[in-house]
Amino acid sequence: MMEGFTRVEIKTSGARIVTVHGGKGPPLLLMHGNPFTHLSWHKFAPRLAQEFTVVATDLRGYGDSEKPPGGDDHSGYSFRAMAQDQVEVMAALGFNKFMAAGHDRGARVLHRMCLDHPDAVERAAILDIIPQHHLFNNVTQAWATASYHWFFMIQPFDMPERLMSADPDYFITKKLSKSKQGLSFFGKEALEEYKRCFRNPATVHAMCEDYRATATVDLAMDTKDFAAGKKIACPALILWGATGAVGRNHKPAEVWKDYATDIAAFEPLPCGHYMQEEMPDRIVDHYRKFFV
């Protein structure tokens, strides 16, 4: 599904990361969301590879990447740890500076990467998130209802893991069917890969650790940085789905001004949360203009 790409496994200081790369030109890192893998970008990564050296990974814990222990404080799945993996992957491929795009959890990894590694990230495209620092400090009934899994998956081990793995195909299918379109816009082969990975109890546990870290160690980091006025400094492209939970329940253009200093563009697209699956052509157009 990623024609022309080479698959390798890169050992970072914290995990073994599945990586695919291809193309030529300036380096561009793509990071997927939950519950996906690098195939999240399959609809347009080959097109971007005509202009960029495209790198797509499975985040630690996701897909076929390694699933290290989270630790008592879940910091093994903090966005800081995940961002460190990705910086080391890019360095192993010969790129100490690069551009990056992230969707969902991958966008949160990118947000943290921009704060922790400002000299590495030259441009950042963030798809369909509101910073978790804002979310946890502005909980609403609408957000809690739409994003129920945030509160379910942070419950202590192993209650959410047992329930999610009791019928993994049902859970992932239900979670991804957020709109009237259901699963119709997902590539069939990609969807089967997402299901395959989700059937692994170790993957489900890693995903829960990711969310547990978000509500604890990540939030603590974010709170400290926000108080210090630390923001994304590189040019940032903020896109979201107008009909998804972000578009319906939040005001991204207002919120992001508190977290980034150089916002190249804000734009809602006429779609839901799974933007790169629903509107790949529009995403490609934005990326070709932004990543120059």
Side-chain angles (χ1 to χ4, degrees):
M1 297 183 67
M2 301 283 278
E3 186 176 353
F5 281 67
T6 300
R7 177 181 171 122
V8 296
E9 295 187 4
I10 296 176
K11 181 65 177 177
T12 72
S13 58
R16 173 186 47 77
I17 302 297
V18 169
T19 305
V20 299
H21 61 93
K24 58 183 179 180
L28 173 59
L29 171 65
L30 305 177
M31 293 177 287
H32 66 84
N34 174 68
F36 303 121
T37 72
H38 67 275
L39 289 180
S40 179
W41 309 97
H42 75 96
K43 288 188 177 181
F44 58 75
R47 278 186 278 168
L48 289 176
Q50 296 172 12
E51 302 171 50
F52 305 95
T53 298
V54 177
V55 180
T57 60
D58 291 353
L59 297 174
R60 71 160 61 189
Y62 287 80
D64 290 321
S65 284
E66 190 175 358
K67 297 149 180 61
D72 291 341
D73 63 352
H74 317 296
S75 61
Y77 286 88
S78 67
F79 295 130
R80 173 164 287 165
M82 292 187 183
Q84 184 66 37
D85 284 335
Q86 302 301 307
V87 169
E88 292 182 29
V89 163
M90 294 303 282
L93 294 173
F95 306 121
N96 292 317
K97 291 181 179 291
F98 51 88
M99 299 176 291
H103 170 251
D104 188 79
R105 310 308 284 181
R108 300 183 188 286
V109 174
L110 179 54
H111 186 180
R112 174 46 58 186
M113 186 187 296
C114 290
L115 300 180
D116 286 358
H117 305 276
D119 293 335
V121 184
E122 296 180 316
R123 285 178 168 262
I126 292 174
L127 293 185
D128 211 57
I129 67 163
I130 296 295
Q132 61 269 1
H133 172 267
H134 177 86
L135 291 173
F136 280 123
N137 283 283
N138 295 273
V139 176
T140 64
Q141 187 273 344
W143 174 57
T145 300
S147 300
Y148 67 92
H149 59 289
W150 281 60
F151 303 95
F152 169 60
M153 293 172 69
I154 66 176
Q155 299 306 309
F157 176 82
D158 64 346
M159 186 269 283
E161 284 92 339
R162 280 180 177 264
L163 296 181
M164 293 163 73
S165 291
D167 192 345
D169 282 11
Y170 170 81
F171 188 89
I172 191 172
T173 298
K174 185 69 174 178
K175 185 178 185 301
L176 297 181
S177 301
K178 291 185 175 181
S179 68
K180 294 179 180 179
Q181 295 168 281
L183 303 174
S184 62
F185 47 75
F186 286 102
K188 291 183 179 179
E189 291 180 59
L191 184 59
E192 287 306 309
E193 271 294 282
Y194 305 149
K195 289 180 178 179
R196 176 187 69 82
C197 294
F198 196 71
R199 291 176 191 132
N200 181 354
T203 301
V204 173
H205 175 58
M207 290 179 181
C208 290
E209 287 293 278
D210 171 7
Y211 279 80
R212 289 170 182 137
T214 304
T216 53
V217 291
D218 286 322
L219 181 57
M221 293 179 209
D222 296 340
T223 300
K224 182 178 179 180
D225 286 341
F226 189 80
K230 194 173 183 180
K231 300 180 181 182
I232 296 175
C234 69
L237 171 65
I238 310 295
L239 303 176
W240 66 94
T243 61
V246 170
R248 296 195 317 270
N249 300 318
H250 308 284
K251 297 179 179 180
E254 294 181 15
V255 172
W256 272 104
K257 290 178 181 178
D258 291 332
Y259 296 89
T261 59
D262 185 3
I263 298 174
F266 292 112
E267 185 169 344
L269 300 187
C271 64
H273 177 55
Y274 305 115
M275 303 176 69
Q276 66 272 42
E277 296 273 10
E278 297 179 58
M279 303 201 76
D281 293 342
R282 288 287 295 274
I283 300 297
V284 168
D285 288 344
H286 276 288
Y287 284 7
R288 282 176 169 162
K289 294 174 183 176
F290 177 66
F291 291 123
V292 294

